Amino acid sequence: PRGPAMASGPCEALARNPWLLPFALALARGAAARPSELARSLGVRAATAKAALWRMRKLRLIEGGALRPELAECLRGVRAAGRTFVWERGSSYILVVVKRRRVAAYPLPLGVVERVRSAAPAASVKELSEELGLPATLVSRALRVLRVLGQT
Protein backbone atom coordinates (compact mmCIF):
# COMPACT_ATOMS: atom_id res chain seq x y z
CA PRO A 1 0.00 0.00 0.00
CA ARG A 2 1.12 3.47 -0.83
CA GLY A 3 1.21 6.07 1.92
CA PRO A 4 -0.60 9.39 1.67
CA ALA A 5 2.65 11.22 0.96
CA MET A 6 3.11 9.20 -2.22
CA ALA A 7 -0.47 9.53 -3.42
CA SER A 8 0.51 12.28 -5.85
CA GLY A 9 4.07 11.16 -6.55
CA PRO A 10 7.57 11.64 -5.23
CA CYS A 11 7.87 15.19 -6.61
CA GLU A 12 4.86 16.29 -4.56
CA ALA A 13 6.23 14.55 -1.47
CA LEU A 14 9.49 16.45 -1.92
CA ALA A 15 7.59 19.71 -2.48
CA ARG A 16 5.76 19.19 0.83
CA ASN A 17 9.11 18.58 2.55
CA PRO A 18 11.44 21.04 0.80
CA TRP A 19 14.08 20.82 3.53
CA LEU A 20 14.94 17.41 2.03
CA LEU A 21 15.93 18.98 -1.31
CA PRO A 22 19.70 19.32 -0.62
CA PHE A 23 19.84 15.72 0.57
CA ALA A 24 18.02 14.50 -2.56
CA LEU A 25 20.46 16.46 -4.74
CA ALA A 26 23.45 15.01 -2.91
CA LEU A 27 22.10 11.50 -3.45
CA ALA A 28 21.42 12.27 -7.11
CA ARG A 29 25.02 13.43 -7.48
CA GLY A 30 26.35 10.13 -6.17
CA ALA A 31 26.58 10.47 -2.39
CA ALA A 32 25.88 7.25 -0.51
CA ALA A 33 22.68 7.05 1.55
CA ARG A 34 24.62 7.06 4.82
CA PRO A 35 24.32 9.81 7.45
CA SER A 36 28.07 10.34 7.77
CA GLU A 37 28.63 10.78 4.02
CA LEU A 38 25.61 13.03 3.54
CA ALA A 39 26.60 15.11 6.56
CA ARG A 40 30.12 15.54 5.19
CA SER A 41 28.97 16.44 1.67
CA LEU A 42 26.45 19.05 2.85
CA GLY A 43 28.24 20.34 5.94
CA VAL A 44 25.46 19.46 8.38
CA ARG A 45 25.48 17.46 11.60
CA ALA A 46 25.16 13.69 11.28
CA ALA A 47 21.93 13.82 13.30
CA THR A 48 20.41 16.18 10.70
CA ALA A 49 21.45 13.88 7.85
CA LYS A 50 20.12 10.87 9.75
CA ALA A 51 16.74 12.58 10.24
CA ALA A 52 16.63 13.48 6.53
CA LEU A 53 17.38 9.90 5.47
CA TRP A 54 14.73 8.57 7.83
CA ARG A 55 12.16 10.99 6.44
CA MET A 56 13.13 10.22 2.83
CA ARG A 57 12.71 6.49 3.47
CA LYS A 58 9.36 7.11 5.17
CA LEU A 59 8.20 9.13 2.13
CA ARG A 60 9.59 6.42 -0.16
CA LEU A 61 11.93 8.84 -1.91
CA ILE A 62 14.76 6.33 -1.46
CA GLU A 63 14.62 2.74 -2.67
CA GLY A 64 17.40 0.29 -1.91
CA GLY A 65 19.84 2.99 -0.80
CA ALA A 66 19.36 5.09 -3.92
CA LEU A 67 17.13 7.96 -4.93
CA ARG A 68 14.01 7.00 -6.89
CA PRO A 69 14.58 7.56 -10.62
CA GLU A 70 11.39 9.65 -10.96
CA LEU A 71 12.94 12.35 -8.77
CA ALA A 72 15.67 13.11 -11.32
CA GLU A 73 13.15 15.01 -13.44
CA CYS A 74 12.02 17.09 -10.43
CA LEU A 75 15.57 18.01 -9.51
CA ARG A 76 16.55 19.29 -12.98
CA GLY A 77 15.17 22.76 -12.29
CA VAL A 78 17.04 23.20 -9.01
CA ARG A 79 19.78 25.84 -8.97
CA ALA A 80 22.47 25.92 -6.31
CA ALA A 81 25.07 28.40 -5.12
CA GLY A 82 27.11 27.08 -2.24
CA ARG A 83 24.73 26.01 0.51
CA THR A 84 21.73 27.84 -0.96
CA PHE A 85 19.29 26.12 -3.30
CA VAL A 86 16.40 27.51 -5.36
CA TRP A 87 13.63 25.37 -6.81
CA GLU A 88 11.04 26.94 -9.10
CA ARG A 89 7.84 25.13 -8.30
CA GLY A 90 4.55 26.24 -9.86
CA SER A 91 3.87 29.89 -9.03
CA SER A 92 6.62 30.19 -6.44
CA TYR A 93 10.28 29.71 -5.73
CA ILE A 94 11.39 27.59 -2.82
CA LEU A 95 14.56 28.93 -1.21
CA VAL A 96 16.43 26.28 0.80
CA VAL A 97 19.35 27.30 2.98
CA VAL A 98 21.62 24.67 4.54
CA LYS A 99 22.97 25.59 7.95
CA ARG A 100 25.13 23.52 10.27
CA ARG A 101 22.31 22.50 12.61
CA ARG A 102 19.28 22.74 10.35
CA VAL A 103 17.98 23.17 6.83
CA ALA A 104 15.58 26.08 6.37
CA ALA A 105 13.08 26.29 3.51
CA TYR A 106 11.16 29.43 2.53
CA PRO A 107 8.48 29.67 -0.17
CA LEU A 108 8.52 32.94 -2.15
CA PRO A 109 5.82 33.92 -4.67
CA LEU A 110 7.10 34.56 -8.20
CA GLY A 111 5.45 38.00 -8.13
CA VAL A 112 7.49 39.14 -5.13
CA VAL A 113 10.76 38.04 -6.73
CA GLU A 114 9.78 39.84 -9.96
CA ARG A 115 8.95 43.04 -8.05
CA VAL A 116 12.33 42.96 -6.29
CA ARG A 117 14.10 42.24 -9.60
CA SER A 118 12.42 45.20 -11.31
CA ALA A 119 13.29 47.60 -8.45
CA ALA A 120 16.58 49.50 -8.34
CA PRO A 121 19.37 46.88 -8.34
CA ALA A 122 21.85 48.85 -6.25
CA ALA A 123 19.41 49.65 -3.45
CA SER A 124 19.84 48.18 0.03
CA VAL A 125 17.38 45.72 1.53
CA LYS A 126 15.95 48.45 3.75
CA GLU A 127 15.47 50.85 0.83
CA LEU A 128 13.87 48.15 -1.33
CA SER A 129 11.62 47.15 1.55
CA GLU A 130 10.38 50.70 2.01
CA GLU A 131 10.02 51.33 -1.73
CA LEU A 132 8.07 48.12 -2.39
CA GLY A 133 6.13 48.06 0.86
CA LEU A 134 7.34 44.52 1.63
CA PRO A 135 8.91 43.14 4.82
CA ALA A 136 12.71 43.35 4.82
CA THR A 137 13.01 39.60 5.45
CA LEU A 138 10.97 38.86 2.33
CA VAL A 139 13.05 41.28 0.24
CA SER A 140 16.27 39.75 1.56
CA ARG A 141 15.11 36.25 0.64
CA ALA A 142 14.01 37.41 -2.81
CA LEU A 143 17.48 38.90 -3.35
CA ARG A 144 19.03 35.56 -2.36
CA VAL A 145 16.85 33.81 -4.94
CA LEU A 146 17.94 36.30 -7.61
CA ARG A 147 21.60 35.87 -6.60
CA VAL A 148 21.37 32.08 -6.96
CA LEU A 149 19.62 32.44 -10.31
CA GLY A 150 22.37 34.85 -11.42
CA GLN A 151 19.99 37.74 -12.01
CA THR A 152 21.47 40.37 -9.68
Side-chain angles (χ1 to χ4, degrees):
R2 293 166 55 104
M6 289 302 295
S8 53
C11 290
E12 287 303 316
L14 188 60
R16 283 192 301 274
N17 296 274
W19 71 278
L20 296 173
L21 186 66
F23 299 97
L25 278 171
L27 290 172
R29 292 177 179 155
R34 291 194 313 267
S36 59
E37 187 169 333
L38 274 178
R40 191 172 31 260
S41 69
L42 290 171
V44 297
R45 293 172 47 221
T48 305
K50 187 175 180 178
L53 281 172
W54 180 87
R55 187 71 179 149
M56 291 175 82
R57 284 190 182 101
K58 185 107 170 129
L59 294 170
R60 297 188 187 117
L61 300 178
I62 297 176
E63 287 180 347
L67 202 62
R68 287 184 57 167
E70 306 95 285
L71 280 174
E73 186 66 34
C74 302
L75 299 176
R76 283 204 181 115
V78 177
R79 303 284 297 271
R83 294 162 52 102
T84 306
F85 301 83
V86 174
W87 188 17
E88 187 174 347
R89 184 92 178 128
S91 62
S92 65
Y93 287 107
I94 299 175
L95 173 68
V96 181
V97 182
V98 178
K99 301 178 182 187
R100 179 83 178 128
R101 292 186 174 265
R102 66 187 179 96
V103 178
Y106 311 101
L108 293 161
L110 285 171
V112 169
V113 176
E114 290 303 318
R115 283 177 62 191
V116 172
R117 177 188 292 131
S118 64
S124 70
V125 171
K126 184 179 178 183
E127 291 168 353
L128 281 172
S129 174
E130 291 169 356
E131 178 183 329
L132 298 172
L134 296 170
T137 307
L138 190 60
V139 171
S140 176
R141 290 176 184 159
L143 286 171
R144 285 185 86 168
V145 167
L146 292 170
R147 208 170 298 126
V148 171
L149 296 177
Q151 298 176 5
T152 57

